[in-house]
């Protein structure tokens, strides 16, 4: 079987992760990275070739799957439908509330041009969504909980950095252990936002900045911190660079359900991720779905799909026989 | 949409669980239980009608999915291919080593008669298999671990009860916490059978039995206990009946993998179940796959499939639009 030829659109942390993930899969090969920047200015981690995004269309025949590594706020709503006119595409669009609209736009573009598109892949949305679906289908009488962390929230870190007097800043979302234990007990608690997660901030202040004011500004910030218990820790730039230079993340999907006579039997399903690198893991998910995309496309599929629509066997390099004998 | 009409072949703990699980799903209805015993002797938990297995074939038009609730050792290898000639069927065949052979037999019977069959569903094989497949596809460089328990092993409990002088007996498989912590640390340890699980036995001895001899017989039993650290606890029949009257089980599937530049970034995926009733939970899995079967059959699918072949969306009563907006 021919290798799946991958293109990467956009080269930040996620694009870099995809480049490295391709190298871990013998049945994939990387054609190149496509950037809106000057290609000469982009240095890739493993020596991938860099092209201008303007040249992508001319290479359509060389690429089986274009993995779009832009941001969900402004890049993907525009890029994914545009690129789906030219390529089979995969993205990690993660603005949950806007998924139906994004799906419709991508589905239209892909169907009209005869391409196949997978959206909203990664771990949430993605693997966490799959676990919510499996668990809720199996245990219809129950309650689902999602906890995130401990991990870096890019959006909240950005928000900290916009506060006056902040030179460097990072925010960790921390799931509250006692809340998770309450869920595991089967009591199906109603948990407020504040009861589920803490927000832990690490800040390097500008020289002479008013630390008390920075702390208050962060803690009271609407939509970001005001509904949470938040800690703000001031540290030196040296410590910041030494300790807070990674992008760990993770979380938990839990389903507490009841079965049996009188629905009195407690059944607990729990899925968790502990990731040293959020973008590298997300990239690994995207790449294994690229394998599924190539196979489904070969069967004639077009339009937009999500993780829900893809039978698990398509993700593995093993044959159906091998899967049944080794993994079932 | 019409309700999915369910038949249950065989009425033990699993059949009883299926009967109760049907009642939790509005889109399902139970036609009846089919037994090889005298139907008049079978009392069902929720009042399901009981028929002789000999009458099943005459009711083929009334049943969309027959869920076969026999044992894997002798019942299912015979029953599933036989019944697949007459019905669409689902079983929980769990003898991992014989799955390829069972698959071939069922696939042939189902294809020849135009039926659809799902085999080896439940949690292991089933949900644990799915998690092994997803995790290994995402993290190709890594190591997968499966731990079982704490829970009752039927096979090991039966083995205890065959020991001379044992009146009642039950065996719990217990995963060793320090081994699981070693896996979670990312060290990818090589673990022996003894390092992964303990075997905890609770025994009611016959009056006047030689307790030391019972204990030695259990601990040294080949294939069952000799490769494990085993504890044997003697208790009264009253305590046995009060404490050891449930069938809890569960376990963990863990994938420890490495990504990124030089494959130095540790990524951990963990899936776990904590079940108060193993048969009720297995039944819940079978029933949600019955929904998927009815849908795939309506699309024209025939032959044998496993959890690997079934796109997750088929399991949920929600529409594709609802799934995308509520669960993705």
């Amino acid at each position: 079987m021919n290798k799946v030829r991958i293109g990467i659109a956009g080269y930040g942390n996620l694009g870099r992760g995809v480049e490295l993930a391709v190298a871990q899969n013998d049945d994939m090969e990387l054609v190149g990275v496509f950037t809106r920047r000057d290609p000469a200015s982009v240095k890739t981690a493993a020596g991938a070739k860099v092209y201008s995004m303007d040249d992508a269309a001319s290479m359509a025949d060389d690429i089986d799957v274009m993995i779009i590594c832009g941001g969900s706020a402004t890049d993907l709503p525009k890029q994914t439908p545009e690129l789906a006119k030219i390529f089979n595409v995969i993205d990690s669009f993660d603005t949950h509330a806007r998924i139906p609209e994004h799906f419709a736009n991508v589905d239209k573009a892909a169907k009209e041009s005869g391409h196949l598109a997978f959206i909203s892949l990664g771990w949430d949305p993605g693997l966490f969504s799959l676990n919510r679906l499996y668990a809720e289908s199996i245990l219809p009488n129950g309650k689902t909980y999602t906890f995130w962390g401990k991990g870096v929230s890019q959006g909240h870190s950005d928000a900290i950095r916009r506060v006056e007097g902040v030179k460097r800043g990072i925010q960790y979302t921390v799931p509250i252990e006692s809340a998770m234990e309450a869920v595991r007990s089967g009591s199906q608690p109603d948990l407020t936002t504040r009861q589920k997660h803490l927000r832990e901030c690490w800040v390097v202040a500008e020289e002479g900045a008013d630390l008390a004011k920075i702390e208050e500004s962060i803690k009271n910030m609407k939509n970001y911190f005001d509904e949470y218990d938040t800690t703000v820790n001031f540290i030196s730039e040296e410590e910041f660079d030494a300790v807070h230079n990674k992008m760990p993340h993770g979380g938990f999907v839990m389903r507490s359900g009841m079965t049996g006579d009188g629905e009195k039997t407690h059944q607990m399903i729990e899925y968790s991720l502990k990731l040293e690198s959020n973008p590298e893991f997300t990239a690994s998910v995207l790449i294994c779905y690229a394998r599924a995309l190539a196979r489904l496309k070969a069967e004639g599929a077009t339009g937009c799909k999500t993780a829900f629509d893809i039978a698990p066997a398509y993700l593995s390099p093993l044959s159906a026989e091998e899967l049944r004998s080794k993994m079932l």
Side-chain angles (χ1 to χ4, degrees), chain A:
Chain A
M1 195 178 148
N2 290 333
K3 292 193 179 194
V4 181
R5 299 167 303 165
I6 304 290
I8 296 173
Y11 196 79
N13 287 318
L14 182 59
R16 183 179 175 281
V18 172
E19 180 190 11
L20 296 168
V22 168
Q24 291 194 300
N25 291 278
D26 296 338
D27 58 346
M28 309 260 167
E29 67 184 9
L30 185 59
V31 175
V33 165
F34 297 84
T35 180
R36 289 170 297 188
R37 292 177 272 167
D38 171 10
S41 73
V42 176
K43 201 177 162 328
T44 54
K49 286 184 190 168
V50 184
Y51 301 93
S52 167
M53 192 75 92
D54 299 333
D55 298 331
S58 69
M59 294 172 70
D61 291 343
D62 303 320
I63 293 169
D64 297 312
V65 186
M66 182 68 93
I67 300 187
I68 313 177
C69 298
S72 293
T74 54
D75 297 334
L76 299 178
K78 207 167 161 293
Q79 285 185 329
T80 308
E82 281 300 317
L83 288 170
K85 294 177 186 167
I86 311 167
F87 301 98
N88 303 306
V89 296
I90 293 183
D91 80 17
S92 61
F93 184 76
D94 67 358
T95 311
H96 292 261
R98 296 186 61 195
I99 286 174
E101 172 192 345
H102 187 57
F103 180 91
N105 292 339
V106 176
D107 192 49
K108 184 167 183 287
K111 274 198 181 126
E112 285 175 1
S113 62
H115 290 106
L116 181 57
F118 292 174
I119 61 160
S120 298
L121 284 165
W123 57 275
D124 196 1
L127 302 180
F128 275 19
S129 322
L130 282 172
N131 275 280
R132 287 187 283 263
L133 189 162
Y134 276 112
E136 297 196 10
S137 301
I138 293 162
L139 297 173
N141 177 8
K143 208 161 163 176
T144 302
Y145 299 83
T146 304
F147 291 88
W148 295 273
K150 182 179 176 175
V152 176
S153 163
Q154 219 51 57
H156 289 79
S157 298
D158 289 345
I160 290 177
R161 290 190 285 262
R162 287 192 297 264
V163 170
E164 197 187 319
V166 171
K167 188 174 180 188
R168 310 283 294 277
I170 193 165
Q171 194 264 190
Y172 297 89
T173 305
V174 183
I176 297 177
E177 190 61 39
S178 60
M180 293 200 288
E181 283 307 320
V183 172
R184 291 181 184 122
S185 77
S187 66
Q188 299 193 7
D190 290 316
L191 296 169
T192 63
T193 297
R194 193 179 299 274
Q195 287 170 322
K196 287 182 71 187
H197 297 95
L198 296 174
R199 298 206 174 273
E200 188 185 295
C201 308
W202 299 85
V203 172
V204 179
E206 303 277 7
E207 227 180 288
D210 182 341
L211 303 191
K213 200 177 154 200
I214 290 175
E215 183 166 342
E216 283 312 298
S217 301
I218 292 173
K219 286 185 171 177
N220 297 321
M221 200 185 298
K222 284 255 180 280
N223 299 326
Y224 285 93
F225 294 98
D226 61 332
E227 288 181 28
Y228 296 86
D229 289 334
T230 301
T231 61
V232 179
N233 310 278
F234 292 97
I235 54 175
S236 69
E237 191 151 17
E238 291 68 34
E239 185 182 344
F240 190 96
D241 289 340
V243 178
H244 301 288
N245 58 355
K246 297 226 171 71
M247 283 167 289
H249 219 315
F252 303 79
V253 174
M254 299 177 176
R255 177 79 173 168
S256 169
M258 307 303 287
T259 63
D261 207 359
E263 301 186 318
K264 288 177 198 150
T265 310
H266 184 230
Q267 315 276 22
M268 188 76 209
I269 304 175
E270 181 168 337
Y271 181 78
S272 68
L273 297 173
K274 195 174 172 193
L275 312 174
E276 279 189 0
S277 166
N278 181 355
E280 286 178 13
F281 186 79
T282 300
S284 296
V285 176
L286 299 181
I287 272 299
C288 94
Y289 274 96
R291 174 182 298 122
L293 190 151
R295 290 173 174 175
L296 276 161
K297 187 67 176 52
E299 293 179 8
T302 62
C304 188
K305 293 185 186 294
T306 75
F308 297 156
D309 307 311
I310 299 149
Y314 286 101
L315 303 176
S316 172
L318 302 183
S319 70
E321 291 74 18
E322 287 172 318
L323 286 176
R324 284 194 295 270
S325 67
K326 291 180 187 173
M327 226 171 277
L328 197 62

